[in-house]
């Protein structure tokens, strides 16, 4: 069980639920550093990253995490990535970035980097690496499996 | 799709990272509803993913927390509706402690400071002029007195 104590876990086949509603600041205190780390991985510019961090924890979408079927951590990870990728897209629209991936590298690490850090969708990653989307998704599983076993 | 195939497909990881499309999200929801053991697996997976990202945590500056705090206070108070003729309650303003060594004054103070500066210079120059003039006159008087004493012993 995690810190949010998923009450009713698996009962009647229901997904996890949360016992209480957290405020933006409480969520920030718990996951702010993690979210900032994620944003910096996607958007290394410190000032932009801080702006994105504020937008994550000021976002009305954060309140929807209270009804998210998974933990706040998962919701924050999702939201932080989404906002950082959005900001990165705006930035790269102004200053086009070069290809930041090793062409032909289909390792789970590389695929994870492309999808999570570079902001490509699994379909785009599959197109770039000339592999199927199924393989891309399987690589995510392999990536976390190897992390778990490491 | 069997449970094992579903787990190994990576759809769950994709969903938890926000990379899944609507169809995949629907599939995850269905699988979790149909299988209690799947919820257990998702719990473990969430913990792994959380642990992975927590390892890359970077403490943000304290100012970010202050901004989020101010924004959450503002949101709680609701959007401002200052219409024509409405009185603005002083409590609607946020007390912000500004850590700054500078102060702002009205623009009219600039010509006032310039006038005071120029006047002070004029008085200084006039003061010096009259001082040296009086010294010179005193010397002249002393000189005349000396000459008169010498001429009329």
């Amino acid at each position: 069980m995690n810190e949010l104590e998923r009450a009713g876990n698996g009962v009647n086949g229901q997904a996890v639920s949360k016992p209480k509603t957290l405020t933006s600041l409480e969520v920030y205190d718990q996951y702010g550093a993690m979210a900032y780390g994620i944003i910096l991985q996607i958007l290394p510019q410190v000032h932009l990253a801080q702006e994105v961090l504020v937008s994550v924890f000021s976002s009305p979408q954060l309140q929807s995490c209270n009804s998210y079927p998974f933990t706040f951590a998962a919701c924050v990870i999702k939201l932080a990535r989404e906002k950082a990728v959005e900001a990165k897209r705006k930035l790269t629209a102004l200053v086009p970035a070069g290809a930041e991936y090793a062409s032909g590298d289909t390792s789970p690490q590389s695929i994870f980097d492309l999808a999570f850090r570079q902001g490509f969708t699994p379909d785009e990653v599959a197109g770039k690496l000339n592999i199927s989307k199924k393989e891309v998704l399987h690589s995510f599983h392999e990536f976390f499996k190897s992390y778990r076993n490491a | 799709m069997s449970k094992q195939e579903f787990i190994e497909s990576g759809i769950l990881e994709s969903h938890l990272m926000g990379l899944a499309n609507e169809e995949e999200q629907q599939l995850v929801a269905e699988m979790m509803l149909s299988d209690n053991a799947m919820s257990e697996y998702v719990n473990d997976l969430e913990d792994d993913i959380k642990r992975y990202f927590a390892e890359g945590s970077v403490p943000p500056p304290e100012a970010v927390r202050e901004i989020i705090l101010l924004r959450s206070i503002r949101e709680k108070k609701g959007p401002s509706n200052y219409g024509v003729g409405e009185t603005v309650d002083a409590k609607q303003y946020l007390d912000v402690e500004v850590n700054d060594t500078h102060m702002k004054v009205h623009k009219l103070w600039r010509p006032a400071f310039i006038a005071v500066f120029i006047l002070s210079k004029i008085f200084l120059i006039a003061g010096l002029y009259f001082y040296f003039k009086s010294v010179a006159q005193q010397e002249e008087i002393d000189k005349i007195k000396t000459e008169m004493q010498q001429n009329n012993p």
Side-chain angles (χ1 to χ4, degrees), chain A residues 15-84:
Chain A
V16 290
S17 61
K18 299 173 192 64
K20 71 171 217 177
T21 300
L22 298 177
T23 63
S24 308
L25 211 60
E26 286 170 332
V27 182
Y28 176 79
D29 288 339
Q30 282 187 53
Y31 303 114
M34 185 181 76
Y36 190 45
I38 290 168
I39 294 164
L40 281 173
Q41 285 177 29
I42 298 165
L43 204 64
Q45 294 87 344
V46 174
H47 291 291
L48 279 175
Q50 286 171 14
E51 277 182 34
V52 172
L53 184 65
V54 170
S55 77
V56 167
F57 288 95
S58 308
S59 165
Q61 290 163 284
L62 192 72
Q63 289 309 312
S64 67
C65 289
N66 282 305
S67 55
Y68 190 62
F70 303 104
T71 58
F72 259 100
C75 190
V76 169
I77 290 166
K78 199 174 167 178
L79 197 56
R81 181 196 171 269
E82 193 182 301
K83 296 271 184 190

Side-chain angles (χ1 to χ4, degrees), chain B:
Chain B
M1 191 186 282
S2 72
K3 183 186 159 188
Q4 192 56 32
E5 281 174 342
F6 179 70
I7 286 171
E8 288 182 1
S9 70
I11 292 172
L12 278 171
E13 287 83 352
S14 172
H15 180 55
L16 289 170
M17 290 189 296
L19 296 165
N21 58 29
E22 281 185 24
E23 192 187 330
E24 288 159 352
Q25 287 174 18
Q26 185 64 33
L27 187 60
V28 171
E30 283 172 14
M31 289 298 280
M32 286 182 70
L33 284 170
S34 64
D35 193 344
N36 290 350
M38 187 63 77
S39 294
E40 287 292 327
Y41 177 77
V42 171
N43 287 351
D44 293 341
L45 184 61
E46 272 189 280
D47 287 341
D48 286 338
I49 290 176
K50 185 187 154 190
R51 195 157 44 88
Y52 171 77
F53 287 111
E55 280 176 11
S57 294
V58 179
E62 187 60 28
V64 175
R65 192 183 188 280
E66 296 294 316
I67 294 167
I68 292 166
L69 175 67
L70 288 172
R71 286 201 182 178
S72 64
I73 292 168
R74 197 166 58 190
E75 276 172 24
K76 275 180 194 170
K77 289 186 175 182
S80 59
N81 45 3
Y82 303 147
V84 177
E86 281 182 343
T87 54
V88 180
D89 188 356
K91 286 179 183 174
Q92 284 177 319
Y93 292 101
L94 299 173
D95 294 326
V96 181
E97 188 184 341
V98 180
N99 187 15
D100 193 356
T101 54
H102 292 74
M103 60 178 277
K104 286 183 178 179
V105 292
H106 195 275
K107 278 182 179 178
L108 286 174
W109 281 102
R110 187 194 290 193
F113 280 129
I114 292 168
V116 168
F117 180 77
I118 291 168
L119 281 173
S120 69
K121 294 295 168 197
I122 289 168
F123 286 128
L124 178 68
I125 291 164
L128 287 171
Y129 172 75
F130 286 113
Y131 170 74
F132 286 116
K133 196 177 177 182
S134 69
V135 168
Q137 283 176 341
Q138 190 62 45
E139 281 176 0
E140 190 70 25
I141 290 165
D142 291 343
K143 194 179 170 185
I144 292 166
K145 278 182 182 174
T146 313
E147 279 176 6
M148 283 174 73
Q149 282 172 358
Q150 283 174 351
N151 291 336
N152 303 313

